Amino acid sequence: MTDRLISVFPTTILHRHLDGMEEANQQLSALVAQIAAAEPNNIIGTTTEGGFQTKEDLFQRDNPGVNALKPHIFNAVQDYAAQVVRQELARPPAKLDFILWGWGVAYQAGHTQGLHVHPNANISGVYYVSAPPSALQPGDAGKISFYDPRARATMIQLPFQVNRHRVAPIPGDMYLFPSWLEHSVSAFQGDGTRLCIAFNAKLLLE
């Protein structure tokens, strides 16, 4: 007798580390600080408590850090979209394109982002520019959590059942995930800035 394991309705997260981004990260940090000093905070209507969020036009700004990061995000979205097509569609599309937009989010001690999803997009992602020391230690502090999307998976929960996946904001790391996947960010304490570039992509299929 031979068993065959079938994985249905998978939830896939892409993790990619970008090497050699130290200078670009410094440029991105300076850009977000410059925007925070000159422009309104864009957290109204979001689940963010504290912190600063730029407008969603970050990728349209002429900045060497943005220019260095954009091709990496573009390539990652292309690769992840191909994975989505293989997993989710009954047949491949004749043409696959996407619209991409992004914004910066800076948190200090005590700032959080509540449980949320990203409407009007198919693929979402985050790239980490900087992180406070406490966010790189064990525990929830400063980490993003992804939640089990299966509504009935915890109806009768098993002991030690995992229903949340935590990720530390390591600079240079990038994560892509389905826009419908619920996630949140826990507060941290102590010095440092948790700075990330968040982005969405809406797939255009023919």
Side-chain angles (χ1 to χ4, degrees):
M1 181 174 61
T2 302
D3 292 338
R4 184 164 66 100
L5 298 178
I6 303 171
S7 178
V8 296
F9 310 122
T11 303
T12 302
I13 297 174
L14 170 65
H15 171 212
R16 179 172 294 178
H17 182 77
L18 306 184
D19 292 319
M21 292 291 288
E22 292 78 12
E23 183 177 358
N25 286 345
Q26 292 175 2
Q27 294 162 340
L28 288 165
S29 294
L31 173 63
V32 173
Q34 177 185 346
I35 294 172
E39 300 180 17
N41 196 342
N42 204 44
I43 64 171
I44 296 176
T46 72
T47 59
T48 297
E49 296 289 340
F52 178 83
Q53 183 168 313
T54 73
K55 293 188 295 185
E56 295 181 348
D57 65 350
L58 196 71
F59 295 157
Q60 279 71 57
R61 299 186 185 241
D62 185 15
N63 174 270
V66 172
N67 294 337
L69 178 60
K70 274 196 302 187
H72 291 293
I73 292 179
F74 190 89
N75 290 336
V77 170
Q78 281 186 316
D79 293 344
Y80 189 83
Q83 178 73 14
V84 169
V85 165
R86 287 192 295 270
Q87 289 183 339
E88 304 285 349
L89 303 187
R91 61 177 178 83
K95 181 180 178 181
L96 190 156
D97 203 351
F98 56 87
I99 301 170
L100 182 68
W101 65 98
W103 59 99
V105 185
Y107 292 150
Q108 306 293 332
H111 299 161
T112 66
Q113 187 167 41
L115 190 69
H116 68 289
V117 296
H118 291 207
N120 304 316
N122 303 107
I123 296 171
S124 295
V126 61
Y127 170 76
Y128 293 110
V129 177
S130 66
S134 61
L136 305 180
Q137 302 300 316
D140 283 349
K143 294 176 177 57
I144 187 172
S145 291
F146 298 101
Y147 295 87
D148 189 339
R150 302 168 300 170
R152 298 166 187 83
T154 56
M155 182 177 64
I156 303 179
Q157 190 163 342
L158 298 169
F160 312 112
Q161 182 169 333
V162 176
N163 56 18
R164 179 164 56 136
H165 179 69
R166 299 173 183 83
V167 170
I170 297 173
D173 275 0
M174 178 165 53
Y175 291 86
L176 280 73
F177 50 92
S179 298
W180 48 257
L181 183 61
E182 290 183 321
H183 53 287
S184 66
V185 177
S186 300
F188 67 89
Q189 301 301 323
D191 296 331
T193 300
R194 183 191 188 279
L195 176 59
C196 68
I197 307 301
F199 53 92
N200 283 332
K202 183 176 180 59
L203 300 184
L204 306 174
L205 307 180
E206 292 181 8

